[in-house]
Amino acid sequence: MAGPAPEDREKPTGRRNSQGIRIDPRAEAEAKPRRTVISALVDHKPGVLAKVSGLFARRQFNIESLTVGPTVDETMARMTIVVEEPEPGIEQAKRQLRKQVHTWSVREVEGAIERELALIKVDGHDPSGVAALAEMHGGQAVRADDEVVTVELTGTEAEIDAAIAAFEQFGVHEVARTGTAALASGTRSTA
């Protein structure tokens, strides 16, 4: 049967899997990462934060923010963890958290009320302008020294980002952000 010579035949592309089978690059799909907020109720004891953060480090999950604080039950603390991972990674993170001895509840909080606190040190040459801009972003100037004004803001991550960008016109010296705290909206329980 006539056909093209071996050197004229189409060469396959793509990588091979562990069994040596060639993978069609058109069929190989990558899951897109998505940002999500995971809330976990954990024992309020020393060392629990280290165990949870170690778990994320071992699994190579990138934590966007992590906040820990007490709850109305003084034996429990709430961890609010913001991650940006593909769907399988998010599910694995929740499963691994549930396996921790000190973890009582884990839930992905969808449609959560999210806020973070930011303290921003801004150049103090125009304190009234800085105060006006802080008020416009729902914050306030909490301290005015000779050369800097410190502003306090709360808001979503995007609102804080926008405010910091706006303060750049005065000159931003330092920024401290707490990371996201979140609660499920309405009567739904967070975790």
Short mmCIF file of all heavy atoms in Angstrom, two decimals, residues 9 12 17 24 28-29 38 41 62 77 100 105-106 114 118 142 153 165 175 178 181:
data_model
loop_
_atom_site.label_atom_id
_atom_site.label_comp_id
_atom_site.label_asym_id
_atom_site.label_seq_id
_atom_site.Cartn_x
_atom_site.Cartn_y
_atom_site.Cartn_z
N ARG A 9 5.92 11.45 7.30
CA ARG A 9 4.70 11.21 8.09
C ARG A 9 4.56 12.26 9.20
O ARG A 9 5.55 12.77 9.72
CB ARG A 9 4.74 9.81 8.71
CG ARG A 9 4.65 8.74 7.67
CD ARG A 9 4.65 7.38 8.32
NE ARG A 9 4.76 6.37 7.27
CZ ARG A 9 5.25 5.18 7.44
NH1 ARG A 9 5.69 4.82 8.64
NH2 ARG A 9 5.30 4.33 6.45
N PRO A 12 3.56 12.94 15.98
CA PRO A 12 2.63 13.26 17.07
C PRO A 12 3.23 14.28 18.03
O PRO A 12 4.44 14.33 18.20
CB PRO A 12 2.40 11.91 17.75
CG PRO A 12 3.58 11.09 17.39
CD PRO A 12 4.08 11.59 16.06
N ASN A 17 1.94 9.97 29.33
CA ASN A 17 1.67 9.79 30.76
C ASN A 17 2.64 8.77 31.34
O ASN A 17 3.54 8.29 30.65
CB ASN A 17 0.20 9.40 31.00
CG ASN A 17 -0.13 8.03 30.45
OD1 ASN A 17 0.76 7.25 30.11
ND2 ASN A 17 -1.41 7.74 30.36
N ASP A 24 -3.29 13.41 24.03
CA ASP A 24 -3.67 14.39 23.02
C ASP A 24 -3.73 15.77 23.68
O ASP A 24 -4.50 15.98 24.62
CB ASP A 24 -5.04 14.04 22.44
CG ASP A 24 -5.46 14.98 21.32
OD1 ASP A 24 -4.76 15.99 21.09
OD2 ASP A 24 -6.48 14.69 20.67
N GLU A 28 -6.28 17.45 26.78
CA GLU A 28 -5.75 17.71 28.11
C GLU A 28 -6.27 19.06 28.60
O GLU A 28 -5.98 20.10 28.01
CB GLU A 28 -4.23 17.70 28.06
CG GLU A 28 -3.60 17.67 29.42
CD GLU A 28 -2.09 17.50 29.32
OE1 GLU A 28 -1.50 17.91 28.30
OE2 GLU A 28 -1.52 16.98 30.26
N ALA A 29 -7.02 19.04 29.65
CA ALA A 29 -7.61 20.28 30.17
C ALA A 29 -7.00 20.62 31.52
O ALA A 29 -6.68 19.74 32.30
CB ALA A 29 -9.11 20.13 30.31
N ILE A 38 -12.71 29.59 53.06
CA ILE A 38 -12.99 28.39 53.86
C ILE A 38 -12.99 28.81 55.32
O ILE A 38 -12.05 29.45 55.79
CB ILE A 38 -11.93 27.30 53.61
CG1 ILE A 38 -11.96 26.86 52.14
CG2 ILE A 38 -12.16 26.10 54.53
CD1 ILE A 38 -10.82 25.93 51.75
N LEU A 41 -13.93 25.80 62.27
CA LEU A 41 -13.96 25.94 63.73
C LEU A 41 -12.97 24.94 64.30
O LEU A 41 -13.03 23.75 63.99
CB LEU A 41 -15.36 25.64 64.27
CG LEU A 41 -16.37 26.76 64.17
CD1 LEU A 41 -17.72 26.30 64.72
CD2 LEU A 41 -15.91 28.00 64.89
N ASN A 62 -1.54 27.56 48.19
CA ASN A 62 -1.17 28.95 48.42
C ASN A 62 -2.27 29.65 49.21
O ASN A 62 -3.39 29.79 48.72
CB ASN A 62 -0.92 29.66 47.09
CG ASN A 62 -0.42 31.07 47.29
OD1 ASN A 62 0.23 31.34 48.29
ND2 ASN A 62 -0.72 31.94 46.37
N ALA A 77 -11.98 28.50 68.21
CA ALA A 77 -11.52 29.64 67.42
C ALA A 77 -11.98 29.43 65.98
O ALA A 77 -12.15 28.29 65.53
CB ALA A 77 -10.00 29.75 67.47
N GLN A 100 -8.05 16.87 60.58
CA GLN A 100 -7.27 17.37 61.72
C GLN A 100 -8.02 17.10 63.03
O GLN A 100 -9.23 17.31 63.11
CB GLN A 100 -7.01 18.88 61.59
CG GLN A 100 -6.14 19.26 60.42
CD GLN A 100 -4.71 18.79 60.60
OE1 GLN A 100 -4.09 19.08 61.61
NE2 GLN A 100 -4.20 18.05 59.63
N SER A 105 -15.36 21.73 62.49
CA SER A 105 -16.26 22.00 61.38
C SER A 105 -15.48 22.74 60.29
O SER A 105 -14.66 23.60 60.59
CB SER A 105 -17.43 22.86 61.87
OG SER A 105 -18.22 23.30 60.81
N VAL A 106 -15.74 22.39 59.04
CA VAL A 106 -15.10 23.05 57.90
C VAL A 106 -16.18 23.30 56.86
O VAL A 106 -16.96 22.40 56.53
CB VAL A 106 -14.00 22.17 57.26
CG1 VAL A 106 -13.42 22.85 56.02
CG2 VAL A 106 -12.91 21.88 58.26
N GLU A 114 -17.58 39.57 53.63
CA GLU A 114 -16.12 39.58 53.83
C GLU A 114 -15.65 40.99 54.14
O GLU A 114 -16.06 41.94 53.49
CB GLU A 114 -15.41 39.11 52.56
CG GLU A 114 -15.74 37.71 52.15
CD GLU A 114 -15.03 37.32 50.86
OE1 GLU A 114 -13.91 37.81 50.63
OE2 GLU A 114 -15.61 36.54 50.10
N ALA A 118 -7.33 47.53 57.34
CA ALA A 118 -6.02 47.97 56.85
C ALA A 118 -5.61 49.24 57.58
O ALA A 118 -6.45 50.12 57.83
CB ALA A 118 -6.06 48.22 55.35
N VAL A 142 -6.47 58.04 61.97
CA VAL A 142 -6.43 57.72 63.39
C VAL A 142 -5.27 58.38 64.11
O VAL A 142 -5.26 58.45 65.34
CB VAL A 142 -6.40 56.19 63.63
CG1 VAL A 142 -7.73 55.57 63.24
CG2 VAL A 142 -5.25 55.53 62.91
N LEU A 153 -8.91 51.66 57.63
CA LEU A 153 -9.99 51.35 56.69
C LEU A 153 -10.47 49.94 56.92
O LEU A 153 -9.68 49.06 57.25
CB LEU A 153 -9.49 51.42 55.25
CG LEU A 153 -9.09 52.75 54.66
CD1 LEU A 153 -8.40 52.54 53.33
CD2 LEU A 153 -10.33 53.60 54.45
N ALA A 165 -4.54 52.33 46.29
CA ALA A 165 -4.17 52.95 45.01
C ALA A 165 -4.46 54.45 45.03
O ALA A 165 -3.68 55.25 44.52
CB ALA A 165 -4.91 52.26 43.86
N VAL A 175 1.84 49.69 54.75
CA VAL A 175 0.48 49.16 54.81
C VAL A 175 0.51 47.89 55.65
O VAL A 175 1.38 47.04 55.48
CB VAL A 175 -0.05 48.82 53.39
CG1 VAL A 175 -1.43 48.17 53.47
CG2 VAL A 175 -0.09 50.06 52.51
N THR A 178 -5.09 42.93 57.73
CA THR A 178 -5.37 41.78 58.61
C THR A 178 -5.67 40.51 57.85
O THR A 178 -5.56 39.43 58.41
CB THR A 178 -6.60 42.08 59.49
OG1 THR A 178 -7.73 42.33 58.65
CG2 THR A 178 -6.34 43.24 60.40
N ALA A 181 -11.81 38.39 57.08
CA ALA A 181 -12.70 37.75 58.05
C ALA A 181 -14.04 37.62 57.34
O ALA A 181 -14.45 38.53 56.60
CB ALA A 181 -12.83 38.58 59.32
#
